[in-house]
Amino acid sequence: MDTNIASDANRNSSEVRGLYDRLEDRCLMRDQKGASDVYYELVRAGRPLTEIVAEGVRIHAPYTHVPYHERIDDGYPNFVNNDHCLLSARATINLNRMLPSHLAMLPMAQTIWYIPTGLDIWNQKINKAPGHYTRHRGSSDAAEAPPAPVVYWPDQEAIQQTGPLKERLNNWMTLVHRGQVIDAYRMFLGLMENTAERKDVLAEMCFAGLMDVQDRILHNRSYTTGHKAYRARSTVELGNALGWENAHNVIYAGALDIAVGPRWYSTYEVACNYIKMMIEGEALHAVPYSGVSEAELAMLRNKEPVNQQEAAELSNAILRQGEIETLEAVTRLLKAGKDPRRILDVIQLAVAQIVLETQDPAAFNMPHHCYEYQNTLAWFYDTFDHPRRLRLLYVAAMFANRVAYHQQGIGEVHPVPLQVPAGAHSLGADQLLDRMDTAICALNGAEAIAWTQAYCDSASDRDKLVQRIALSACKLGNDPHNQEIAQCMLMDFGTNRQPDRDKLLLAAAYHTAMHRKYGDPGEPSRRFGHAMGLAELH
């Protein structure tokens, strides 16, 4: 299917615009079934995926911001989550490429199903609006006249700065740090207008998201879980997919949020100070520091791989020891010439292990968000040559260590069952995949791991396994942000260089089966299957 929205002259025809007007109406009425029915018409009409994504973002962008990502309700702090609509769209454009061509529009069906429930989260949290968090899922029967979703941060016009780019980016970061949301957003729009500087501007936006990680987790319910980074990354990937000339609504949906509070920089400050002390060899003083030293930059040029013994030592520090041991383990590897990007491979596998050791469906929140952070940082390393990215390696390791401690604190550290089912050796590769898919869709994590391991033991074609796990993830919906986790793990399987990276496939299958589901998780894919005549989705 053609995915070039710019080349399709029919986009503004009255018939096509009428479909998108209906889609907008059904989304704003919180009507999941009605919005999905319009989507099926768009697919039958051959509308390109990127066009549908762009229109979906246009519809939800004004209504997925919040005044603040935390409320104080009668003295009780309550978390207000980030935009799962945008995150789901980002996952869609990647999952689309992982699936068989005749099922490639299924991921976007999940996104469209979710959008009506993902608007005005602020009011959902206090039961003043229908949606995902009030469990009042919109339908053509029940969503006749819900309250209009609120626009908390209206779109803005760009403002221009003069001076060197570094100075202008520092000015923008200062506004972000101070929480001056509108001024920061207007300045960012101005920065994006210079195409020659755009990549550096986007890198700084993603960096601002990645450095925003809270300093504690256990028994908290109000935290960032790295979502600023995921929203920034979604902005970049969607902007690249749509073309930046078509991406203003994406920027509005994603970039504005970076300055919305609360903002958490104390973990990043630890990374800055630890590098100053342990890499640069300086004693800390009560004076302002700035910039990046040559010693820090030199570590980014390390090229040595991490061997299995070194990987085991770092993993043990993250999973079973404390923050000091974790920081020391990362530093030893860097001083031994190990490539920071390859150290990140090891951290990914450690967090995958945390996922595999979790059994309660309600207990995956921190492990799977932490995994997405590792994936996002790896993508950042592979996409941008940002001078301060070494510090984020320490942030990633500390985040992982805190999540391991969190899981210990809530009693969610369990042995990983890896026993291959009896008789598995007599089955062909496709039969093993069928059984894995059945286990995932039955929400049976133990069997999902077992059949995935059986496939890994007997078949060498990992591409078929990746495709099947991706399809299984796309069958399960109602909050497709969770599909992102499998997509991240499958993506990392393709870039991770550790010899035991099959663990990422096990974790993807297991998490897809086990994470907390909402409502009937098979409903969106069944509806799409019936509408499109795809019997395999019924």
Side-chain angles (χ1 to χ4, degrees), residues 210-466:
L210 285 159
M211 63 188 275
D212 190 346
V213 175
Q214 72 274 14
D215 57 355
R216 61 160 290 109
I217 295 171
L218 185 61
H219 300 313
N220 279 100
R221 293 173 62 251
S222 181
Y223 33 52
T224 172
T225 58
H227 259 284
K228 294 286 184 70
Y230 317 147
R231 198 160 179 171
R233 186 252 191 101
S234 296
T235 303
V236 174
E237 288 202 71
L238 289 169
N240 287 338
L242 304 183
W244 289 102
E245 67 279 8
N246 303 305
H248 175 80
N249 292 312
V250 171
I251 297 171
Y252 175 33
L256 181 152
D257 183 68
I258 298 296
V260 176
R263 292 160 302 281
W264 311 79
Y265 299 126
S266 57
T267 298
Y268 175 73
E269 185 188 359
V270 171
C272 294
N273 292 337
Y274 201 83
I275 287 174
K276 181 68 64 178
M277 294 184 294
M278 301 304 174
I279 300 296
E280 299 174 26
E282 289 193 24
L284 291 180
H285 301 285
V287 297
Y289 293 98
S290 64
V292 183
S293 72
E294 176 53 37
E296 182 176 349
L297 293 173
M299 293 297 176
L300 291 172
R301 296 191 287 269
N302 287 357
K303 295 300 180 185
E304 290 296 314
V306 180
N307 65 41
Q308 287 182 279
Q309 178 60 36
E310 293 165 334
E313 291 172 358
L314 176 57
S315 294
N316 184 62
I318 289 171
L319 295 172
R320 313 300 178 209
Q321 299 182 43
E323 190 163 277
I324 291 297
E325 292 85 354
T326 298
L327 291 167
E328 289 174 346
V330 171
T331 303
R332 281 196 301 272
L333 291 173
L334 290 171
K335 288 186 173 181
K338 306 301 177 177
D339 185 341
R341 179 63 181 84
R342 307 281 65 95
I343 296 173
L344 188 52
D345 287 348
V346 178
I347 302 175
Q348 286 179 348
L349 293 173
V351 180
Q353 182 67 25
I354 299 173
V355 170
L356 289 168
E357 292 180 357
T358 301
Q359 290 185 0
D360 183 346
F364 284 89
N365 188 46
M366 293 315 305
H368 74 211
H369 280 103
C370 184
Y371 190 86
E372 186 166 4
Y373 187 91
Q374 312 304 324
N375 167 264
T376 301
L377 182 55
W379 168 85
F380 183 73
Y381 264 77
D382 295 342
T383 305
F384 299 111
D385 188 28
H386 196 284
R388 294 185 292 280
R389 65 190 184 278
L390 185 73
R391 302 169 194 183
L392 299 174
L393 181 69
Y394 281 97
V395 173
M398 284 186 280
F399 190 5
N401 179 248
R402 287 174 195 162
V403 170
Y405 177 74
H406 175 273
Q407 297 305 93
Q408 293 168 27
I410 64 173
E412 281 294 323
V413 181
H414 305 285
V416 180
L418 283 177
Q419 184 175 354
V420 172
H425 65 280
S426 65
L427 300 177
D430 289 341
Q431 292 173 303
L432 294 171
L433 292 176
D434 287 343
R435 282 160 174 75
M436 179 199 71
D437 176 78
T438 297
I440 292 173
C441 293
L443 312 185
N444 189 323
E447 288 192 8
I449 290 181
W451 288 113
T452 305
Q453 185 64 57
Y455 181 93
C456 290
D457 289 346
S458 64
S460 60
D461 187 352
R462 294 295 186 265
D463 289 344
K464 292 180 68 175
L465 178 57
V466 166

Side-chain angles (χ1 to χ4, degrees), residues 77-228:
N78 288 299
F79 172 62
V80 183
N81 73 291
N82 220 292
D83 175 22
H84 290 190
C85 300
L86 193 72
L87 272 55
S88 174
R90 185 207 71 81
T92 284
I93 62 173
N94 290 287
L95 287 164
N96 167 269
R97 295 189 287 265
M98 293 181 177
L99 298 184
S101 58
H102 69 290
L103 297 172
M105 299 301 278
L106 173 59
M108 191 62 192
Q110 294 283 5
T111 299
I112 294 295
W113 179 262
Y114 179 77
I115 287 173
T117 73
L119 309 182
D120 199 356
I121 295 296
W122 185 266
N123 277 324
Q124 284 191 45
K125 290 285 185 175
I126 53 176
N127 293 314
K128 288 187 176 180
H132 183 63
Y133 285 89
T134 53
R135 306 291 183 262
H136 299 154
R137 301 191 181 283
S139 72
S140 56
D141 298 323
E144 293 299 326
V150 178
V151 178
Y152 296 102
W153 301 105
D155 204 354
Q156 301 290 319
E157 296 294 327
I159 56 173
Q160 300 293 336
Q161 300 181 80
T162 59
L165 177 61
K166 182 178 179 179
E167 178 181 303
R168 287 179 278 133
L169 289 175
N170 281 336
N171 292 340
W172 173 76
M173 186 70 81
T174 297
L175 294 174
V176 169
H177 190 196
R178 293 175 178 173
Q180 294 176 232
V181 178
I182 294 299
D183 290 341
Y185 175 52
R186 295 187 67 198
M187 190 176 289
F188 187 83
L189 291 175
L191 287 164
M192 284 292 289
E193 289 182 355
N194 186 329
T195 57
E197 297 175 340
R198 187 171 288 159
K199 187 170 184 179
D200 289 334
V201 172
L202 293 171
E204 194 70 4
M205 176 185 66
C206 292
F207 176 76
L210 285 159
M211 63 188 275
D212 190 346
V213 175
Q214 72 274 14
D215 57 355
R216 61 160 290 109
I217 295 171
L218 185 61
H219 300 313
N220 279 100
R221 293 173 62 251
S222 181
Y223 33 52
T224 172
T225 58
H227 259 284
K228 294 286 184 70

Side-chain angles (χ1 to χ4, degrees), residues 2-11 48 50-51 241-243 245-246:
D2 180 16
T3 60
N4 187 348
I5 61 175
S7 66
D8 196 327
N10 294 324
R11 184 181 185 185
T50 46
E51 176 188 289
L242 304 183
E245 67 279 8
N246 303 305

